[in-house]
Amino acid sequence: MRVVIAEDNALLREGLVLLLTSAGHEVAAVARTGPEVLPALLEHRPDAAVLDVRMPPGFRDEGLRAALEARERMPGLPVLVLSQYVEESYAAELLGGGASGVGYLLKDRVGRVDEFLEALDRVAGGGTALDPEVVTELLTRRRDSPLDSLTPREREVLKLMAQGHDNTTIARTLVVTERAVSKHIGNVFLKLGLPTGDSGHRRVLAVLAYLNGR
């Protein structure tokens, strides 16, 4: 996999380069400031981009704005965001672009190397990888919506689905049967007015698209 990294912190940047190359991936380019991100993405057209949100010179949203513009020019460009904070509006804007091939992880909560690599693989393959705190923000962002009709268990299932987990993983996490998970998912789609027959990654995209008002 060819990856472009956008990160201003030298230690984290070099750590990512070492990690990815050790895992057999190719780091096509490294961006250290916001203005460097878009040219690097357009020039190298990587299989995935790993980037921070706040980068020099303004430390606001330079990295993500560059990624959003790149996805407009290269539809479907997989983007995995690494941030220190839950930037709700940024996450919503990124996911609002269709949610395919996007991830948003919090730096301080990535506990294991294999978790990060699995998330990157999932995003590069067109899937999603969202930190639970990001999902919680998205779930609570909308008020007076059909989400309010979900039971606590159904909300748990929805959050795990939005993180990209399959039925087996959800069942194991919640310590219930897969049949129970399927029933909860059916109820979720019914209450949200979404297709009940869809499965796999498409159902996750449908949920995320709904949460973003699409």
Side-chain angles (χ1 to χ4, degrees), residues 192-212:
L192 298 186
L194 298 170
T196 58
D198 210 355
S199 62
H201 176 57
R202 289 184 178 180
R203 71 182 186 181
V204 179
L205 298 184
V207 172
L208 290 173
Y210 181 85
L211 294 179
N212 284 280

Side-chain angles (χ1 to χ4, degrees), residues 51 53 64-65 67-69 71 76-81 86-105 122-123 126-142 158-159 161-164 201-214:
L51 55 87
V53 173
L64 187 53
R65 281 192 288 107
L68 290 170
E69 185 173 349
R71 278 174 66 92
L77 171 68
V79 173
L80 177 58
V81 175
V86 179
E87 305 283 1
E88 180 186 330
S89 60
Y90 299 149
E93 186 175 1
L94 181 64
L95 293 170
S100 177
V102 296
Y104 197 119
L105 302 180
R122 191 184 312 152
V123 169
T128 56
L130 304 180
D131 186 279
E133 287 193 16
V134 176
V135 177
T136 297
E137 290 291 338
L138 293 176
L139 284 171
T140 58
R141 183 167 57 87
R142 294 179 62 189
L158 178 57
K159 288 171 65 176
M161 287 172 58
Q163 292 170 41
H201 176 57
R202 289 184 178 180
R203 71 182 186 181
V204 179
L205 298 184
V207 172
L208 290 173
Y210 181 85
L211 294 179
N212 284 280
R214 296 176 66 85

Side-chain angles (χ1 to χ4, degrees), residues 164-178:
H165 297 304
D166 58 21
N167 286 16
T168 301
T169 303
I170 294 174
R172 184 167 57 248
T173 301
L174 299 180
V175 194
V176 297
T177 65
E178 289 190 44

Side-chain angles (χ1 to χ4, degrees), residues 137-156:
E137 290 291 338
L138 293 176
L139 284 171
T140 58
R141 183 167 57 87
R142 294 179 62 189
R143 303 294 183 183
D144 300 323
S145 77
L147 290 171
D148 298 330
S149 67
L150 300 182
T151 66
R153 177 63 83 184
E154 289 166 354
R155 291 176 70 89
E156 288 180 317

Side-chain angles (χ1 to χ4, degrees), residues 4-7 37 41 49-53 55 63-64 66-67 79-83 107:
V4 166
I5 298 173
E7 171 60 56
V37 180
L41 293 175
V50 178
L51 55 87
D52 195 1
V53 173
M55 299 185 67
L64 187 53
V79 173
L80 177 58
V81 175
L82 283 176
S83 178
K107 294 177 179 178

